[in-house]
Amino acid sequence: MLVAPSILSADFGKLNDEIIAICDGGCDLVHVDVMDGHFVPNMTIGPVVVNAVAKVASKPLDVHLMVEDNNFFIDLFAPLKPEYISFHIESEKHPHRVIQKLRSLDIKPAIVLNPHSSPQAIEYLLEDLDMVLLMSVNPGFGGQKFITSVVKKAKELKELINKHNPNCLIQVDGGVNDKNIQELKDAGVDVVVAGSYVYGASNYGQAIKSLQI
Ligand code: DX5
Ligand code: ZN
């Protein structure tokens, strides 16, 4: 299991140290939550701050867009050369075009499904994707309770992935901790995002390792 700590739960007063600590603690990706105050009822960080993050991060960036205007935000964040940019199926009228745009920028495309969205909605996009992110909370805030129906959804998605593109990863984001990590692994999940579980721990490295099962 790969682990991508979400910096949303970091202490932004000492962001550099918080990024270095998760990278030194052995994380696989650095998950950056970008919110526009429209698609979700919260706002986070823009490219100026993420640029500072990118400079000290020794692990690849995984940018999760929770925005209405995906093209605008992709143009802002592409120069930072993230490994992945994920965008919500619920906010995009032309997801296939956005995937093509990300490919042309040499960024791995990922699509995000909110808790209510079915994996079948993206069946015909799977062959073009590197990752699908299943939300296990409603997007907008860290520290929420895990929505358990994501486990069944991950299993359904895994079947579709096996059929269309076995290289595509499944990521789960929200409320992940050492109590639910095993059932996610068993369901075929490859990558987890963990914010409050990692940044709420006294030893970030230990918390990360407890999820790398
Ligand atoms: C929610 C974000 C998540 C969140 C994860 O909108 O996408 O990345 O910060 O935080 P926890 O692990 O605390 O649920
Ligand atoms: Zn996220």
Side-chain angles (χ1 to χ4, degrees):
M1 183 71 83
L2 301 176
V3 176
S6 164
I7 62 169
L8 189 59
S9 296
D11 180 346
F12 275 62
K14 47 173 187 165
L15 193 54
N16 273 14
D17 295 344
E18 294 276 79
I19 306 295
I20 293 166
I22 55 164
C23 292
D24 289 353
C27 74
D28 299 287
L29 296 164
V30 175
H31 187 81
V32 179
D33 287 305
V34 177
M35 306 180 188
D36 66 353
H38 293 278
F39 180 65
V40 289
N42 197 5
M43 291 178 76
T44 53
I45 48 181
V48 176
V49 175
V50 177
N51 193 26
V53 170
K55 280 194 187 129
V56 294
S58 57
K59 301 293 168 65
L61 298 188
D62 169 35
V63 173
H64 174 192
L65 298 180
M66 285 159 273
V67 303
E68 280 182 357
D69 191 341
N70 292 299
N71 283 294
F72 174 78
F73 280 88
I74 287 168
D75 290 341
L76 281 185
F77 284 94
L80 306 181
K81 300 270 169 235
E83 174 115 345
Y84 294 94
I85 289 186
S86 55
F87 64 96
H88 277 254
I89 190 77
E90 300 87 5
S91 76
E92 184 52 56
K93 288 197 189 87
H94 300 287
H96 192 271
R97 183 178 289 152
V98 174
I99 292 168
Q100 286 176 319
K101 175 175 176 147
L102 288 168
R103 282 268 176 241
S104 74
L105 293 164
D106 212 18
I107 297 168
K108 292 178 178 167
I111 280 196
V112 194
L113 301 182
N114 267 339
H116 72 277
S117 295
S118 295
Q120 286 77 13
I122 56 159
E123 178 165 4
Y124 295 101
L125 296 172
L126 284 174
E127 63 182 32
D128 300 303
L129 289 170
D130 279 32
M131 187 162 72
V132 177
L133 168 49
L134 301 179
M135 291 306 300
S136 41
V137 296
N138 286 299
F141 303 93
Q144 302 181 79
K145 191 167 173 281
F146 183 74
I147 297 173
T148 55
S149 61
V150 77
V151 175
K152 180 169 175 277
K153 198 194 287 192
K155 288 179 189 162
E156 277 178 31
L157 175 61
K158 187 72 182 174
E159 281 182 23
L160 294 175
I161 280 178
N162 285 340
K163 197 164 136 198
H164 295 284
N165 177 10
N167 295 323
C168 181
L169 301 179
I170 302 179
Q171 183 178 40
V172 167
D173 182 1
V176 173
N177 56 38
D178 58 345
K179 307 281 186 299
N180 49 33
I181 191 71
Q182 187 63 51
E183 59 180 334
L184 291 171
K185 174 93 180 171
D186 295 344
V189 175
D190 306 286
V191 190
V192 286
V193 177
S196 50
Y197 176 70
V198 169
Y199 279 108
S202 51
N203 182 323
Y204 298 167
Q206 262 176 21
I208 290 165
K209 276 178 197 68
S210 73
L211 303 178
Q212 284 167 327
I213 59 173

